[in-house]
Amino acid sequence: MKRHKETQSRYRVTGCCCAALMFFQDLSGAHSSVEPATPQAGRIANLWWVMFYVSVAVLALVTAALIYAVFRRRSAREQTAPVDLSPNTNRERKATRAAAVALAVTIAILFVLLGLSFTTGRAVSFLSNESPLEIKAVGHRWWWEFQYVDPVPSRGFITANELRLPQGRQIVLTLTSNDVIHSFWAPNLMGKKDLIPGQESRLIFRPEKQGVFRGQCAEFCGFQHAQMGFLVLVESDGDFSDWYNHESQQAVQPSNDSEKRGRQVFLSSTCVMCHTIGGTPANSNIGPPLTHLASRTSIAAATLTNSRENLAKWVTDSQKIKPGNRMPPNVLGPENLDDLLNYLTSLK
Ligand code: CUA
């Protein structure tokens, strides 16, 4: 909890400098590669610290050598006698030996780091025998599709922009893209991996800490690349099962007249051409599925908190919030909008 507060205040400071980051204020999960929440991210963090300390030591040595050289030259200049520039085999032999030692040390350091990097790479792609939770992540401009693959196909489901995971279970995340190259990056959980159209790659990790972690697309993918975020929510087994069972159901039925009218507004407008609401004729995946929209904490790929007010702004003119995204503005009368919002916010 303390760590979340610290992270939030960090984003708040950044938010003052950059209007785009203002959106992130209430949606900031932990986002740091040196606060690992999986053994795999732990290996990567260890490698980072080794590289960091080695680089600091090399920088300190080179700086000290430079200062020493400058100091020696200055004291030589101060002497009244002209500098002796005639060939001096003894001095040249010394210089050659010093350069050779420096080269050998550099090569040795690079090989040690290469070896550590290689063993880390092997360790983080290790798949254990236990049956994993398999999830497929598909990148879209600009949102994330997460398909939960269930051994019973009818229990599988698709959700968007929020990846829920059970603590302590091995996760196999298969990555691909629907349009251009994106990159999945949730630094507390694992290193980056590209999502490439027509190709599948995978990430394996085991979340060991509960919490909310922020992820971000890490490959430039167009206008709204910077606002292609996602949240990873690591929960206890019980909470995860409850959520999973609920997500595999169809959408709830409208419970009053306004929600019924709202569903009608949804089904008779352009919304139906891009979104899915389970149990209704809306069945397209151009935009995120909305079957359980109200149970998500954010909208617009972790750009806005999921509130009625933000939903209204997004539905009427999403181009103001994320210019260039594929959702057109919707012209709805105040009553229709109210009914639609009542319906959408009922989709727990
Ligand atoms: Cu998707 Cu950058």
Side-chain angles (χ1 to χ4, degrees), residues 190-227:
M190 191 50 185
K192 292 172 190 167
K193 186 78 114 184
D194 280 359
L195 296 87
I196 301 168
Q199 204 173 304
E200 285 190 346
S201 48
R202 70 178 188 181
L203 284 175
I204 301 162
F205 54 87
R206 182 192 307 276
E208 283 184 345
K209 283 183 193 163
Q210 291 183 25
V212 182
F213 305 98
R214 194 180 166 89
Q216 173 63 40
C217 179
E219 180 75 43
F220 182 71
C221 55
F223 209 2
Q224 289 302 332
H225 155 72
Q227 294 196 92

Side-chain angles (χ1 to χ4, degrees), residues 140 142 144 181-183 217-222 225 228:
H140 296 256
W142 289 278
W144 299 86
I181 298 176
H182 304 273
S183 180
C217 179
E219 180 75 43
F220 182 71
C221 55
H225 155 72
M228 185 171 168

Side-chain angles (χ1 to χ4, degrees), residues 108-303:
I109 290 173
L110 289 178
F111 266 97
V112 168
L113 293 182
L114 178 69
L116 287 174
S117 172
F118 181 73
T119 48
T120 304
R122 295 268 301 203
V124 300
S125 52
F126 177 74
L127 183 64
S128 75
N129 289 332
E130 93 188 83
S131 87
L133 174 66
E134 288 183 48
I135 303 166
K136 188 171 183 180
V138 185
H140 296 256
R141 277 182 297 176
W142 289 278
W143 61 280
W144 299 86
E145 175 184 344
F146 296 120
Q147 303 176 6
Y148 285 71
V149 186
D150 197 280
V152 182
S154 62
R155 275 179 48 82
F157 59 87
I158 299 175
T159 183
N161 302 325
E162 285 184 19
L163 185 62
R164 291 214 193 201
L165 305 172
Q167 181 187 15
R169 178 115 183 251
Q170 177 171 245
I171 311 293
V172 172
L173 193 62
T174 307
L175 307 165
T176 189
S177 170
N178 187 52
D179 36 51
V180 298
I181 298 176
H182 304 273
S183 180
F184 183 96
W185 186 45
N188 297 76
L189 303 173
M190 191 50 185
K192 292 172 190 167
K193 186 78 114 184
D194 280 359
L195 296 87
I196 301 168
Q199 204 173 304
E200 285 190 346
S201 48
R202 70 178 188 181
L203 284 175
I204 301 162
F205 54 87
R206 182 192 307 276
E208 283 184 345
K209 283 183 193 163
Q210 291 183 25
V212 182
F213 305 98
R214 194 180 166 89
Q216 173 63 40
C217 179
E219 180 75 43
F220 182 71
C221 55
F223 209 2
Q224 289 302 332
H225 155 72
Q227 294 196 92
M228 185 171 168
F230 59 97
L231 297 177
V232 184
L233 294 88
V234 180
E235 302 176 319
S236 69
D237 241 353
D239 286 351
F240 176 76
S241 297
D242 290 347
W243 173 81
Y244 193 101
N245 291 335
H246 184 69
E247 284 287 314
S248 46
Q249 323 250 311
Q250 306 284 38
V252 289
Q253 292 297 318
S255 63
N256 57 44
D257 286 347
S258 174
E259 288 173 16
K260 274 184 200 153
R261 286 194 301 271
R263 182 172 67 176
Q264 208 40 49
V265 171
F266 184 91
L267 294 175
S268 57
S269 69
T270 48
C271 314
V272 75
M273 293 163 75
C274 298
H275 296 282
T276 291
I277 294 182
T280 75
N283 186 24
S284 168
N285 87 331
I286 294 172
L290 305 177
T291 309
H292 300 288
L293 170 68
S295 64
R296 300 206 282 263
T297 57
S298 66
I299 57 168
T303 303

Side-chain angles (χ1 to χ4, degrees), residues 68 73 140 160 177 197 341:
Y68 174 71
R73 225 183 130 208
H140 296 256
S177 170
L341 292 172

